[in-house]
Amino acid sequence: MKKNTTILFSMLLFFMFWRTVEGQVRINEIRSNDDSSDDIEFIELIGIAGTDLSGYEIYHVNGNGDSEIFTHTIGAFVIPDDGVTDSEGNALGFYVLGAGDFSSGADESISSSLQGGPDGIILYDESGNVIDAVAWGGVGDISNDITTSGSPEADNYLHEIGSDSDNDNSLQAPNNVVGDNGSGWTYEVATVGSINASQTNGSIVIISSLKTEPANHVTSFNATGSVNSVGLTWTDASGTPAPDAYLIKVSDTDFGSISNPSDTNTEPNDTDLSDGSGALNVNSGEESASFSGLNETTTYYFKIFSYTNTGSDIDYKTDSAVPQGEATTLDTPDIVLNEFLADPDGDANGDGSTDSDDDEFLEFVNTGTADLDISDWTIEDSNSTTHTFENPTVLKPNQAVLVFGGGTPTGKFGGAIVQTTGSLSLNNSGDDITLKNNSGIEIIWYTYGGTEGSSNQSFTRSPDLTGNFTDHSTADTHDGSPFSPGTRIGGFPFHPWLEITGTEGWRMLSTPTSNNSYDDLLGSIWTQGSSTGANYSGGAPNVVTYDGTTFNAVDDLTGPMDEGEGVLVFVYSDDNHNESEANSGFPKILEMAGTENSGTVTPSIHSGSGGEATLVGNPYLSPVDWDLLDKNNLTNTVYVYDHSYGTPIGSDVEASEVAGSYRVWNGSSGSLNDGRIAPFQGFWVITDAAGSASLTIEESDKVIGGTFYKEKIDEAISIHLKAETDKMFNEAFFSFNKAGQPGMDSFDGLELTPLDHDDYLSLSTETEGILLDINNLPIEFTEALEIPLHINAFQAVDEGWTTISEEVSLTWPELKNIPIEWSLILKDNQTGKTVNLKETDSYKFLSAGSSAKIADKKPFHPLIKNPLQREKAPPENRFTLTIYPDSKNSTNNDIPDRFALRQNYPNPFNPTTNIDYEIAVQSDVELSIFNVMGQKVATLVNESKAPGSYAVTWNAFDMASGVYYYQLNVSGVVYTRQMTLIK
């Protein structure tokens, strides 16, 4: 057939994009230029014996831009077995085309002659596919159309070799006929019809390693949707040639949007489906793949293409029906693994003993806004299923579920659902933690190593729910404990959950969540006196708010609660109208749905001429720090009513029938735990002058766990007094600062009458005829300060109280940073006795009693106009505390002359106790608690301390009953005492 040079170049270029065929014949030797005539010019082909060359064409083109030299079509010819084998053991033979006058040894001849170059030869099969191509003497003009890029093993690869000089030698291919780019060809004496000088029998390579497209597609192609991922499975394609690999293409639109891949380009992996499409290459034999990081509840469409070869030689199978599948991702359950303990070194499950298996635990939390049913879900480690959740197990929003390895879990665990299993098998050397739903779909998978698994403490997210895992002791908000099962790091519940203990009485409450009604908060307890939403519309109202003058019943309990609003609730023991039914008694559990309030909260504040009170509340699920709240025209003192404050720890609160008291705080002194206001807690604020007042509560005011972000005032001067009988106690405080006055000031705290009508003990100071719980005084004074002190025991009687005679122990648990020049003298005005507070630590006396009812002292009632019933000063004060200054502007601390560790009080205790200690010189101080096995269970102090007297409280709510030891280590000197916890 006729071909000109332009057609040749185009065909060679076209061939670079043509499907390859498995070549069985190659150009092996060329002699194109002799030293005189053309009687020695020939072209030699080498191929597998039995290959039929009939119809193959040899095309010779002049590389100088001239027209074609000749085209020869091979006649009926089958390659013979010439006694030569290739590298795979195939028998080989030769075909020789003589040119010009060459005839000896030729299988066919033509009259046309060859040229010295630049020239080229192309070999076509009977279908016109390019099999091989050789150029010699330079490519000349051929370089405009012929490229040597690609794989040397490709059937279309151009072998470019050197010049054929004007003598009788020939150009000869090396052993690797198919894989050489031309550089291996040599110029040797002709070897017509036999192997070349550089070839070795048995080592010749003429078959390309490239394959044609795969014979078949895969079968059983399936797509399965999971959480944010889709898994794919299939059975490998069969037949010859088998695929080398597969290309999976995906779209989130439809199958029609997935285009077929092109044989000229390898499609790279694209696992980012944010643009709606992607691709993944998978080796043959793997038979599975997955795409992750997908959108929820989205349908994805997949096609899988078999292919052979790589690069520009890649050959995709796109004919017939390409396998396809679709799957929809699941709605991701809002649940996280928040904490786990693999190496217990303490009684995590609260059953009274430490066990390496029983005290292991896993903590999962529902972070969604709806109930989550995890019934029959499973927990697995790297080897087996270790727990199946009971049916039913339904988590409320923000509720935790705890799984312990065993034992008998004892405790509240923040309202978490608690389950046990035979063994969690959490290996200390590292393990997998896998949570699967009841369909076996993986929801959570986490792997930890030996460091996390053998640290004698839990591994927890910091911050809770969203942070990275870290040791519990190094978490941002840890409270010193080695674990916090069922609660946040600081010991507070995950979901809005409050346990009310004790007895019937008034509680000051608020809601930490948004879009809730009074009934949402109080639905689990008895309510009355409201026309809508109450259990009983009659009776005295037990849910009341305050309008600035009067308490008012909440008439519609289905109405919304405002964020930051406080409400007074009388909590009855009975949950039903019939007291004999089973729901009576304490504790009561309040659980809320909804989302935690967020952002800045500014409750409405009652204002006027000064002294107005407003009942507000903590709007968050975490405590807030009173000292951080933004207060405008308000006193610096906060008031929180505590139903159980006033009954000594360890006493039977229900049997004692003792009224609660107000906890107060003014920024440096008081009984309200450094001003921390708990979730669900309502509190009083009072204006300090005429004019508009405001209170701003921000999320940055939160106090998580035991960590306070405010700067502590270690230099603050304060006095803590405590009066105690065998069944009740009360406290009073003195603070000293530059704003202090001998009379009333903004840092004073009022002594308020209890809300509950029960017996109580009152300890207060007096200023300007007003009884104070906190008396704030100037830090600088030249004349002695004489402060009246009142201590009275009250017994509840019908419609009021009388005073009773009780043996009272008056102590001063803390004299903090008292200047050494000051003298503190307490005088009993009844007996004339005086006590130097710096030289002794207590004073006992008998309080005065009278059977006469106190005329102007009435029990609290929700419908009276004076909500803050201030205690009125008796005509005479039993005691006087005189503070004598020896010099003006004295700021030196009262320095103890020795180190001391005092006996804790109360002892025995449940669950909190106080520990006092004294530091004589600046020292590194560590105060720790140990169980009877010598294991450290808590560290209360670990810092450098200035000289002074200190007190710290230990809350052992999560500890088992028994004997404990507390140890003070001061710069290497150790002091140890024993105490007893009784629950």
Side-chain angles (χ1 to χ4, degrees), residues 185-207:
W185 284 58
T186 57
Y187 191 64
E188 307 286 349
V189 175
T191 56
V192 183
S194 63
I195 62 176
N196 296 331
S198 60
Q199 291 177 334
T200 303
N201 190 3
S203 300
I204 299 171
V205 179
I206 68 165
I207 300 177

Side-chain angles (χ1 to χ4, degrees), residues 535-601:
N535 299 105
Y536 175 55
S537 60
N542 72 323
V543 183
V544 295
T545 57
Y546 182 64
D547 65 8
T549 304
T550 304
F551 277 101
N552 299 286
V554 178
D555 192 53
D556 182 3
L557 296 184
T558 64
M561 290 190 71
D562 295 330
E563 57 186 18
E565 173 190 354
V567 60
L568 263 182
V569 179
F570 190 91
V571 181
Y572 289 95
S573 176
D574 174 33
D575 292 333
N576 299 279
H577 194 59
N578 185 347
E579 294 187 7
S580 65
E581 294 189 13
N583 287 336
S584 299
F586 286 84
K588 310 289 187 186
I589 303 297
L590 304 184
E591 290 186 281
M592 301 283 286
T595 304
E596 179 183 11
N597 291 315
S598 61
T600 300
V601 176

Side-chain angles (χ1 to χ4, degrees), residues 797-865:
V797 296
D798 185 36
E799 299 295 329
W801 285 274
T802 64
T803 59
I804 55 177
S805 179
E806 290 279 346
E807 183 179 68
V808 180
S809 175
L810 178 64
T811 60
W812 28 102
E814 183 178 55
L815 303 178
K816 185 177 180 181
N817 296 324
I818 302 298
I820 196 170
E821 296 87 355
W822 290 8
S823 296
L824 309 177
I825 305 300
L826 177 70
K827 181 179 180 181
D828 186 336
N829 296 321
Q830 181 173 310
T831 66
K833 292 183 179 179
T834 60
V835 177
N836 187 331
L837 270 59
K838 288 187 174 184
E839 295 179 353
T840 186
D841 56 11
S842 65
Y843 178 76
K844 291 186 178 182
F845 65 97
L846 194 65
S847 67
S850 171
S851 60
K853 185 188 299 184
I854 303 174
D856 56 355
K857 191 175 182 62
K858 302 294 185 182
F860 170 77
H861 189 278
L863 301 182
I864 65 174
K865 290 188 176 182

Side-chain angles (χ1 to χ4, degrees), residues 19 93 111 145 172 209 227 230 233 265 283 377 473 483 518 541 557 679 701 730 779 805 829 919 962 981:
R19 62 190 291 271
S111 59
D145 298 277
Q172 299 181 6
S209 62
V227 178
V230 171
T233 60
N265 294 298
N283 291 331
W377 288 25
S473 63
F483 39 69
Y518 297 94
L557 296 184
D701 301 329
N730 203 344
I779 198 170
S805 179
N829 296 321
I919 305 300
L981 171 62

